Amino acid sequence: MHKTLGGISFVLVSVLLLAGCGSQEEESPSEPVVETPSPQESAEPKEVVDPLVVAISTKASLRSDRRLMVEGETNLPEGALIQVTIEREISRVRWQARTNVLDGKFNAGPFGSGSGLPDGRYMVRVQLSEASVQPSSVQARIGNEGEHLAGELVTQTRHGLGQVATYSRSFLVGSEPRRTRDQVDVVEEM
């Protein structure tokens, strides 16, 4: 009987020694730890939106009063707010108009003073306004910060308001074509 008691005490001493080997850090904390999922994990899966590779083209025409009209085509969403700017190269005088995309097209103008545009080189620029000012249907397609926009016309805004799309093209106003090595359109009176 003594042998059994000795064996039991050996086992009991071994168990006590092993139990005492733990460190203070392994003790359970006084407050239970509750793991919360990150906002991305807890939110419902977001719908994947295909990028919109932006395409814009324009045609400028000079009215009989020598004021300029700009027509364009684009794949931007219906109702998208855009700004069309005409700038004279020599003087840097600008005219601007805001318009909307309707059925993939937009029109802006007439641009120029009451006396019309003098002959010379001009730049037409079409810019999609920031996503924050777009109608909700347009924001749904391009993203809240324009993150779904793609292509060579897409750039980051200077003010950190996301991405926008900007198209620009040079053209010459006048009745005689001028020699130039640049790719420009010549706009003549109608």
Side-chain angles (χ1 to χ4, degrees):
M1 179 161 201
H2 187 44
K3 281 185 172 181
T4 310
L5 189 57
I8 292 175
S9 59
F10 176 74
V11 171
L12 184 60
V13 169
S14 297
V15 170
L16 290 172
L17 285 173
L18 287 174
C21 289
S23 68
Q24 295 279 342
E25 293 176 11
E26 292 178 2
E27 291 181 17
S28 61
S30 59
E31 293 182 26
V33 176
V34 178
E35 290 188 29
T36 56
S38 70
Q40 293 172 343
E41 293 172 357
S42 65
E44 293 180 17
K46 290 187 176 183
E47 182 181 327
V48 177
V49 178
D50 289 332
L52 173 62
V53 179
V54 178
I56 301 173
S57 64
T58 59
K59 179 184 175 192
S61 57
L62 201 58
R63 298 179 355 161
S64 60
D65 63 359
R66 293 192 54 85
R67 295 176 73 201
L68 195 72
M69 295 296 297
V70 176
E71 299 174 5
E73 293 185 9
T74 183
N75 64 341
L76 290 170
E78 184 77 8
L81 299 170
I82 58 174
Q83 181 169 312
V84 180
T85 305
I86 304 297
E87 181 176 330
R88 186 166 187 219
E89 186 178 84
I90 292 175
S91 64
R92 300 286 185 220
V93 172
R94 293 181 186 175
W95 297 270
Q96 297 178 352
R98 293 186 190 275
T99 188
N100 296 70
V101 174
L102 300 171
D103 296 324
K105 298 177 191 252
F106 60 90
N107 294 304
F111 295 101
S113 63
S115 58
L117 295 176
D119 288 356
R121 187 182 186 116
Y122 293 82
M123 176 73 71
V124 61
R125 185 172 49 250
V126 178
Q127 184 171 29
L128 174 68
S129 298
E130 291 87 9
S132 62
V133 300
Q134 295 291 346
S136 57
S137 61
V138 175
Q139 282 185 19
R141 178 62 184 103
I142 69 172
N144 292 333
E145 294 184 355
E147 66 269 20
H148 302 307
L149 297 173
E152 62 184 38
L153 300 179
V154 178
T155 58
Q156 195 70 22
T157 64
R158 293 182 297 202
H159 307 296
L161 300 174
Q163 294 189 128
V164 293
T166 305
Y167 163 91
S168 59
R169 176 88 179 167
S170 291
F171 61 94
L172 297 173
V173 170
S175 57
E176 294 181 28
R178 299 176 185 200
R179 292 181 179 242
T180 181
R181 294 180 185 202
D182 297 335
Q183 283 190 339
V184 295
D185 293 327
V186 176
V187 180
E188 298 182 41
E189 285 185 51
M190 300 173 82

